[in-house]
Structure formats: C-alpha cells, structure tokens
Amino acid sequence: QTKRMVSALLQVQLVLLAACAAWGDQRLGAWRLQSSAALPSAGGGAALSAPGYDDGGWYAAAVPCTVLACLMQNGMYEDPFFGENLKSISAEPFNATWWYRTEFKTDAVGRVVLLFKGINYRANVWFNGVKVGDEKDVVGTFRYFEFDVTDYLEPNGGANAVAVEIIRPFDVSIPSSNKDTDLAISFVDWSPEPADGNMGLWHDVIIEELAGDVRIAYPQITADLELAADGSCAVAHLTLLLELVNFANAKVSGTLSAAFEWGSVSQEVTLALHETRQVIMSNASFAALNVKSPRLWWPWQMGQPTLHDMTLSFAQSKGVNQSVNTQFGIRQVTSELQNKYRLFKVNGKPLLIRGGGFTPDLFQRTTELRQEQEMRYVLDLGLNTIRLEGKMEDDNFFALADQHGLLVMPGWCCCDAWQHWDIWGDEQVLVAKESTRSQVKRIRVHPSVFVFLYGSDQAPPTQYEKEFLSVFADEQWPLPTLASASATVSPLTGSTGVKMSGPYSWVAPNYWLLDPGMLGGAFGFLTEGGPGEAPLTFESLNRTLGPDHLWPMDDWWDYHTSTGQIKNLRSYTTALSARYGVAAGAADYSYAAQADNYEGLRAMFEAYTLKKYTATGVIQWMQNNPWPSFKWHFYDYYLAVGGGYFGTKKGCEMIHAMYAYDDRAVYVTNSLYQPTQSLKVVGEAFTLNGTCYWRDEASIGVIAADSASKAELSTVQQPLNAEDGAYFVRLSVYNEKDGSLVSKNLYWFSTTDDVNDWDNSTWYNTPCAQFADLTQLRSLPRVSLDTTSLTTVSGDTALTTVTIGNLNNAVAFFVRVRLQWR
C-alpha cells in the first residue's frame, strides 16, 4: 500500500543554431513541382527557367522535400503508414524526371551563389534560361553543388528563376543480389523503400549573397590540450582551418580575421582568380590561439557542452567586408586499442559510448521541433551517442547535438550501392570521394562529431579505402576514422577494434553477461545490436493497423515487421508466450511485450556499463524507425514510448544498482565523472503477493568516478515455496548521510532460468533451449489505482506531477503513466 509521485517535465523549445550562421541570406523554400510527363516537350529547361513562366498548374512544394513527400503535401496519397497503404504507391510515376521551379529576388552588391545541399540523385540545373549544371556532373545525394549565378541575374532587382530537373536514383539493399550503383539512400532492412527512392531536393537550397567576391566557408577548430594529472586543462592550443573561395575573374587581396571572446587573429591573403584555398592559422603563429584555462566542450554526462562564438571576416582591399558567425567547441577526441577493443577518449578521459542508430523519416520529412524532441529523448534515456548510417542529417541536427552535449557517429551505409565495390566504375569512385568531402567539410566544425565510418558492414577494398583516406588527408580531418563498423583488419589502417556481431533479434536478458566471448555480449565495442523485436504500444498498434487488423496477427502485422531476416513476429512470439503466457488479444500482447522489452534493454545497458572498459561501447539497433515498425526502437515513429524506452532509461541511470546474471551479485555503477556520496544498498525479495521474504543491506561507501562497486549482500534468495515460480527483487541505493533515495530498480525473476543455446547462435540471435517461466505474473489480480495530478506552467515549460496510490492488498505491476495533450 503505497503512494508514489511521478514528475514529467515537458518542454517545447525551438532551437535554431547553424554551423555558419551567415552562410546564405536566402533559403529557397517555396517551389513548384511537376512531372516531365505532364509538361510540353518544347522549350525544356530554358523555357521553364525563364522568369515569369506560368507554373500555376504545378504542385506546391515546400523544399526541402522529396518528390513523393511533396506530393503527399498536396494530399495525393492516403496515409502511407497505415496498414498496407504504402504498397499502393507505384514507382512508375517516378521513373520520369521531375522538375522543381522557383523564383526569387536579390539586392546583393557582391557575388551571388546558388548552393544545393542535397540533390537526389542527378540533376540538370537551369538559371534564368541558362543551363548552369548538367546531369553528367551534378550527381550524388550527399554532395554539395554551388553555382556562381552573378552574371545571369536579372537587372534592377528583377525576379530570377531556378528550374531543376531531377533524375531518380536506384539504390536498394534488398534483394542482396541487386546491382544498383547509385550512391544514394536506402533503408536497408529497416523498412520498405519509398517508391521514388527519395528523389528530389531533399536538403536546403540557399542563395548566398556575398558582400564582395570572396566567400568564407567550412571552418574547423582543432585543439591540442595540455592536461594536468587531475584532468584539468591548463592550455588549449588551437588551430583554425577554413576555406576561402574567390569567385572573381581577377586576383583578390584582403585581410582574413577571426575574433573570439578572448582575442583575435588576422593575416593577409591573396587569392588568384577563381581560386579555392585552405587557410590555416596555427597557435605557433598566433598567441590568441593559445587559450589558458579554457572552458571545454564535454559530452553531457562528463561536463558542460560549452560552445564559443567566432566571427570570421575577409576585408577586401576595396573596403568590402564579408563575415560569418559560427560556434565551436574546444575539445580533443582520441581513440586507441585497449586489449584489442576500440576505446574513445574525450579531453583525455575515457567514455563508454552508449547510443542508438538513428534514421530519418521514410520520406525525409523533418522539422526542427521534431529534431529537438528526439534529442531530448536521447538525453532522457541517459545515452550519449547517436549513430548515423548513411543518412546524413541537416546542419540543425548537428548544431542541436553540439548544444545538448551529444556525440554523433556518422558514416556510410551497408548492403546497398555503397558496398557494391565489385561493380564500381569511375563515376562511383568520384561520387564516393566527393560525397565524403562535402560531408567532412561541413560537419568538421561540430564538437559533437567524434568519428567517421567510411565503411559499414564491410571495409572497402584497399584501392577504394585509399580514395577515402585521401579525402580525409586533403581536408585535414582531425578525428578518428574507421574502415568499417565490424571486426575487420585493414592492410592500411589496421584493426577497427569494433564488432558488429549482433544480435538483431530477441535474446534472453542474461545473454549479455553470459556470452562466452564470441558474440554481442558485454565486451568490446558493439556498433549495432540489441534484443530486436519491439512491438508497438496498444495506442500505436491501433493507429497503425486499425480495429479490423488488431487481432489475430495477420499480413498487416508482417508488413510492419518484414524486411531482411526478421520477416514476422512468430519467433519472438514463441519466446514471449513461453515466458509471459499466451496473449488473449492485441492489448494483452502489447502489454507483455513492453515488460519483455523493458527486461531486455535494461539488461543490455546494465551489462555494458558494468563491464567498462572491457566493454567500450554499445549502439542499440536502433534508436527509432523510419515508419511504424515492430522492431528496433527505443520509441516508435509516433514518438510513443514503451517498455524498452523505460528499461533503457533505468539501465542507463547515472548511479544504478543492478543484478548481475553471471555471478548473481549486486553492483552499483557510477556513470558520472565525479565520486558519489557514501552509499548504502538495500536488497529485498518479494513473493507475487507482495510479501518480503528476504532482505539484506550493505554499505558500499564512496564509488569512484566512472566505475562500479560490488555490494556485499548475501545471495539473492528464491521463494521458499516451490509453487512460487516468479518473484520480485528490488534493489535500492540510499545516501548514507541523509537517507535520501538515490536509485531504485525492480526485477521480476523466475525460479526457472533462461538457458541460451550458444551452439546454435547465428549472426542475428541466440535461441533459448529453455525459457524463464514468468507466466504467474498473469495471476496478479487487477487493481484500481488512485491518481491525482497537478500541472504548473512557467514560460515554455509545463510540469505535471502525478501521484499514484495503490491502496489495495495486491501488487500493481508494470504501471504506465501517460500524459496526453487534449
């Protein structure tokens, strides 16, 4: 009989940050869209890009948007995420080319540059009747393309027109026998592919209005830190790198300056006509680049993610001054092989990487608000890293990660054209190199980025690895790179020190600590893996399937599960039914699945946290889904959170009491970078009716920063009554000084253990020879709970406190508190 108070902090905050705030004075967002099949053949791009052309019959398009996303903006398709609606969208209309068209005005006094941050996949670009880019050259999803259109501007501030003809990519992962060679976007086995292949203007289009002839671009700050024995930094020796581009048809001279809050540096630069030059300003030449007692950028759990302002300017001899403002962080990232496993350090301190694999929406739709919400989820979960596999997010995404102190792990994709090296030709080599160059240059200013994976499931052959490495060398990439996300050894760069050994499907909670040393257990750096299937909450099930397909499971369930190895939920359901009992319906099934997912994800993160730094990193596959899916997520497409979310949040607590499945002992882990207060651990075991039959406590004193201590408790006891097949164990941590509760962790166990069948393990799972029997949980009586809530609003923050009372003589198990806006 207890009352418990739950506080939920709901904050909606729009954050606008840019890596280079003055890059471009206009974002071209309002476009028109039409299929070439619906256009007259006469005139072509010259006619379509003429100012004043009548595009009134075209579709409105809010760019960035893929062709299919734009058509959805216009109501052309029924909700593609409901049921099997996605199947009804034919690919045929997208085999034609599609035209994007817009007009704009400018009063720029200097050069005007048209910049595309994402064209998928090939394009012919026209400006005011002039073809400025041809499909033979404008090719590559992840490349930046820029065109100096100054000489083609309409005089006297008149309207200018841009028309872009898009040719779709062909790049899928399934079937694996495909021979696609367009280095574009595929969703691997995460979801079905969009019918248009994400063709279109999928990232921003910018009109850069320069004050003169020279553009400042792609800054980078690197830091060499003088670290003291206590971890503090005495001096940060900074190096500034940036790119200057001279768009003039003549030599240009000027003064390049960089201003910081603590000082400034400057030097004279002369650029030849049309020259692009890397400029380096080193701390050996400029005293202001040696910063004493700097405020460092840290991942959030290690310290403050401090960002500094920098103003860069280029003053031409004729008095024209071009300037940009940007933010950067002072931090140093290194990696090393420790006992053959890859270990990352930030500012000299080791960090256990804990994160998830991120995916965009299936149609590349996003908003800054959605990005902020998902970042806040990652923080709430206690994670520190987001992995991007071949889906490079926009500038705001990286800026938000900088602000929140989250690490980002970008890299290229597996399984599709990015890995079809045996059929690459000259175009693929060029696109791969220049895609890497564009991305490396734009993200290198972000302190959140700590590594780049230029291979995924496999390392590229030596001839192509050399090409990738040449780009990193050319652009003076200062961070670690990895040839793949798997345990490979490159003849050029050596061992990756990471593993991609799964699992990708359900495994028992004890898997992570009992793994005999060959799979995905808690050792090394697991770049992707997890307990796999993640059925939706009942509310999301209903939203995705509707009442007619909720139960029994049918083809609609399979469609939202099936891609790759996991084609349906049958194998998962076998384990779920054996452990929790056969479900009576969709709500019952979802409820049991949430409890099961809580167990599985908590166990994975607990194990990796306990075993650091034999375990050096774990990336749950995945963080989220591109559409409503029954596998691989902490939270679903609708941002609804289930058991797996809260199991992860519990397992990633900064101070956490846990049960170890290998030695059956109790430990307290400290993931903070400071010692704890003196702590006490209390262990309790309860029968299902709530009777406490075992209790022990032990003082564990102070736990050092970033470490763990074993609690000297007696062995956790099973129930004395042999008929009690399931029982609860509660572990609580208290501050010994004031008695306050620090952490509480509840397990539900069976007297029958899960037994892993290691000999029949595959790359995606380890089956069980015997399942734990938790079916007695179904015997718990239904109870009524008393709830009250109070919401207070202050500015943009609403704080709702919910008090839950169980005034019955029975346990209320796995209660969910859900807040809904009405």
Side-chain angles (χ1 to χ4, degrees):
Q1 296 183 358
T2 60
K3 285 190 176 182
R4 183 174 301 172
M5 186 174 292
V6 181
S7 294
L9 181 64
L10 304 178
Q11 190 168 26
V12 179
Q13 185 177 27
L14 193 61
V15 179
L16 301 174
L17 287 174
C20 236
W23 256 51
D25 296 327
Q26 291 194 51
R27 184 178 71 83
L28 300 183
W31 293 69
R32 310 290 286 179
L33 175 74
Q34 188 56 272
S35 170
S36 60
L39 294 174
S41 57
L48 298 179
S49 65
Y53 175 86
D54 183 8
D55 58 13
W58 293 29
Y59 299 103
V63 169
C65 71
T66 65
V67 171
L68 184 48
C70 291
L71 295 178
M72 290 166 60
Q73 290 175 5
N74 286 270
M76 294 295 293
Y77 297 100
E78 194 173 0
D79 179 6
F81 290 165
F82 180 78
E84 294 186 334
N85 285 350
L86 188 62
K87 285 184 177 180
S88 67
I89 303 178
S90 170
E92 183 60 30
F94 309 107
N95 292 331
T97 63
W98 284 75
W99 285 89
Y100 287 77
R101 186 183 184 281
T102 191
E103 295 191 6
F104 72 94
K105 294 181 179 181
T106 179
D107 56 2
V109 296
R111 309 300 294 188
V112 174
V113 180
L114 175 60
L115 172 66
F116 293 90
K117 294 188 174 184
I119 295 176
N120 195 15
Y121 183 64
R122 305 173 194 273
N124 294 300
V125 182
W126 294 77
F127 187 88
N128 285 350
V130 179
K131 190 176 187 180
V132 295
D134 188 85
E135 65 187 77
K136 297 191 302 297
D137 306 308
V138 183
V139 52
T141 307
F142 299 100
R143 296 173 66 185
Y144 275 28
F145 296 99
E146 60 185 37
F147 305 95
D148 182 359
V149 295
T150 311
D151 296 340
Y152 311 120
L153 292 172
E154 285 294 300
N156 303 317
N160 302 280
V162 183
V164 184
E165 183 184 21
I166 300 290
I167 302 164
R168 70 162 298 159
F170 291 93
D171 183 22
V172 298
S173 299
I174 298 174
S176 58
S177 59
N178 80 83
K179 299 297 182 181
D180 291 342
T181 55
D182 290 340
L183 303 182
I185 299 169
S186 81
F187 285 89
V188 200
D189 51 359
W190 312 352
S191 69
E193 299 286 352
D196 68 341
N198 281 160
M199 70 184 297
L201 301 179
W202 73 291
H203 273 335
D204 283 339
V205 183
I206 302 293
I207 291 295
E208 296 186 321
E209 299 168 317
L210 306 183
D213 302 307
V214 175
R215 185 185 67 191
I216 307 167
Y218 307 121
Q220 170 183 285
I221 290 283
T222 57
D224 181 13
L225 304 182
E226 287 188 20
L227 298 172
D230 63 359
S232 63
C233 180
V235 181
H237 304 288
L238 307 183
T239 298
L240 169 62
L241 177 147
L242 53 83
E243 182 179 278
L244 294 179
V245 182
N246 178 18
F247 290 101
N249 295 316
K251 180 174 66 175
V252 172
S253 297
T255 303
L256 173 66
S257 301
F260 311 94
E261 58 206 64
W262 56 80
S264 62
V265 296
S266 63
Q267 70 179 48
E268 300 302 311
V269 178
T270 296
L271 300 170
L273 73 162
H274 299 162
E275 181 185 2
T276 297
R277 183 191 300 179
Q278 271 188 2
V279 178
I280 299 174
M281 305 176 83
S282 81
N283 53 77
S285 301
F286 299 96
L289 294 178
N290 297 286
V291 185
K292 295 181 179 179
S293 301
R295 291 180 297 130
L296 302 180
W297 185 95
W298 293 95
W300 68 268
Q301 78 185 83
M302 302 178 79
Q304 291 297 316
T306 302
L307 294 173
H308 302 278
D309 295 321
M310 174 171 60
T311 299
L312 301 169
S313 62
F314 186 82
Q316 291 181 221
S317 55
K318 60 183 180 181
V320 176
N321 187 16
Q322 174 71 21
S323 66
V324 296
N325 300 309
T326 188
Q327 288 190 311
F328 68 95
I330 300 175
R331 64 92 177 89
Q332 185 176 28
V333 176
T334 59
S335 79
E336 61 192 55
L337 292 179
Q338 179 171 287
N339 298 323
K340 76 182 180 181
Y341 303 133
R342 180 69 56 185
L343 174 67
F344 288 93
K345 294 182 177 181
V346 180
N347 301 333
K349 296 183 180 182
L351 175 66
L352 175 70
I353 299 298
R354 300 191 300 198
F358 182 86
T359 175
D361 165 83
L362 186 61
F363 309 111
Q364 301 296 330
R365 299 169 298 180
T366 192
T367 64
E368 289 168 337
L369 176 58
R370 172 90 179 201
Q371 290 175 335
E372 173 72 10
Q373 290 169 322
E374 298 201 56
M375 294 279 182
R376 287 182 180 272
Y377 271 2
V378 175
L379 291 169
D380 186 54
L381 285 164
L383 304 174
N384 54 38
T385 298
I386 299 171
R387 182 182 168 197
L388 305 178
E389 187 190 13
K391 318 292 183 290
M392 299 299 182
E393 292 298 304
D394 64 14
D395 295 335
N396 188 68
F397 182 95
F398 288 95
L400 285 174
D402 294 343
Q403 175 192 343
H404 288 304
L406 289 169
L407 295 170
V408 183
M409 185 180 184
W412 297 127
C413 197
C414 83
C415 313
D416 61 3
W418 284 93
Q419 270 186 200
H420 293 171
W421 296 301
D422 58 330
I423 53 176
W424 274 20
D426 291 344
E427 180 182 273
Q428 286 70 39
V429 174
L430 173 68
V431 172
K433 288 184 66 175
E434 295 311 310
S435 298
T436 304
R437 191 183 313 279
S438 289
Q439 296 303 316
V440 160
K441 287 165 65 174
R442 79 164 177 115
I443 65 177
R444 63 190 181 189
V445 73
H446 293 284
S448 54
V449 177
F450 72 104
V451 66
F452 196 103
L453 282 66
Y454 53 90
S456 184
D457 289 19
Q458 303 168 17
T462 300
Q463 68 187 100
Y464 299 130
E465 186 176 8
K466 288 180 179 177
E467 300 286 0
F468 284 117
L469 293 174
S470 70
V471 174
F472 293 114
D474 290 345
E475 302 306 329
Q476 304 199 42
W477 177 256
L479 300 169
T481 59
L482 294 179
S484 82
S486 61
T488 57
V489 179
S490 159
L492 298 177
T493 55
S495 172
T496 59
V498 299
K499 63 178 182 178
M500 211 189 78
S501 48
Y504 296 89
S505 184
W506 183 87
V507 291
N510 61 14
Y511 167 97
W512 306 100
L513 285 175
L514 296 182
D515 179 357
M518 58 184 180
L519 298 168
F523 58 91
F525 191 134
L526 182 63
T527 58
E528 52 184 72
E533 295 85 347
L536 301 174
T537 63
F538 182 70
E539 296 80 17
S540 292
L541 271 176
N542 200 35
R543 184 172 179 179
T544 302
L545 303 177
D548 295 338
H549 290 268
L550 271 180
W551 199 259
M553 293 182 182
D554 60 12
D555 291 347
W556 283 27
W557 284 71
D558 293 349
Y559 187 53
H560 284 266
T561 308
S562 62
T563 42
Q565 188 66 37
I566 302 176
K567 302 186 183 306
N568 51 57
L569 291 175
R570 290 174 182 79
S571 176
Y572 172 77
T573 301
T574 297
L576 185 68
S577 298
R579 299 179 88 245
Y580 283 92
V582 177
D588 188 24
Y589 183 90
S590 177
Y591 178 74
Q594 304 316 313
D596 184 79
N597 291 345
Y598 186 108
E599 277 191 285
L601 279 168
R602 174 179 60 182
M604 180 177 76
F605 283 104
E606 283 181 334
Y608 269 83
T609 302
L610 176 64
K611 295 299 183 179
K612 65 184 174 189
Y613 285 98
T614 299
T616 58
V618 55
I619 300 293
Q620 148 72 3
W621 211 247
M622 300 175 65
Q623 176 179 320
N624 61 334
N625 301 125
W627 81 320
S629 175
F630 297 150
K631 64 181 181 183
W632 299 347
H633 59 250
F634 294 124
Y635 53 89
D636 69 24
Y637 179 80
Y638 308 114
L639 299 182
V641 297
Y645 181 98
F646 292 103
T648 299
K649 181 175 179 178
K650 179 60 65 174
C652 291
E653 281 184 322
M654 290 298 100
I655 300 174
H656 179 68
M658 61 165 286
Y659 173 84
Y661 288 93
D662 52 355
D663 63 4
R664 300 181 183 270
V666 173
Y667 294 84
V668 177
T669 58
N670 177 17
S671 294
L672 296 172
Y673 281 74
Q674 60 189 29
T676 67
Q677 300 290 318
S678 184
L679 302 176
K680 177 180 73 173
V681 179
V682 176
E684 300 165 285
F686 302 86
T687 61
L688 294 190
N689 66 12
T691 300
C692 180
Y693 65 86
W694 170 83
R695 186 184 188 280
D696 197 7
E697 64 179 67
S699 172
I700 55 174
V702 173
I703 305 176
D706 192 31
S707 64
S709 292
K710 184 177 181 178
E712 297 300 330
L713 299 177
S714 58
T715 303
V716 176
Q717 299 296 309
Q718 293 185 352
L720 298 177
N721 188 342
E723 295 180 358
D724 291 329
Y727 59 102
F728 299 114
V729 172
R730 184 169 67 195
L731 304 176
S732 305
V733 180
Y734 295 92
N735 184 319
E736 285 196 300
K737 182 177 181 180
D738 60 16
S740 59
L741 179 67
V742 177
S743 169
K744 184 179 290 185
N745 191 9
L746 180 75
Y747 295 89
W748 43 102
F749 287 140
S750 168
T751 55
T752 303
D753 289 337
D754 292 302
V755 177
N756 295 283
D757 184 3
W758 301 110
D759 290 341
N760 286 305
S761 296
T762 66
W763 62 269
Y764 66 93
N765 87 324
T766 293
C768 276
Q770 171 183 288
F771 293 104
D773 183 359
L774 298 166
T775 56
Q776 282 191 342
L777 290 171
R778 290 186 171 274
S779 68
L780 291 172
R782 294 185 65 85
V783 296
S784 297
L785 299 176
D786 294 332
T787 61
T788 58
S789 65
L790 175 67
T791 298
T792 57
V793 177
S794 175
D796 62 358
T797 299
L799 178 65
T800 298
T801 301
V802 183
T803 302
I804 307 170
N806 177 16
L807 304 181
N808 307 276
N809 291 314
V811 172
F813 174 64
F814 214 63
V815 176
R816 179 169 63 135
V817 182
R818 190 163 64 100
L819 202 59
Q820 284 184 288
W821 294 109
R822 298 190 184 277

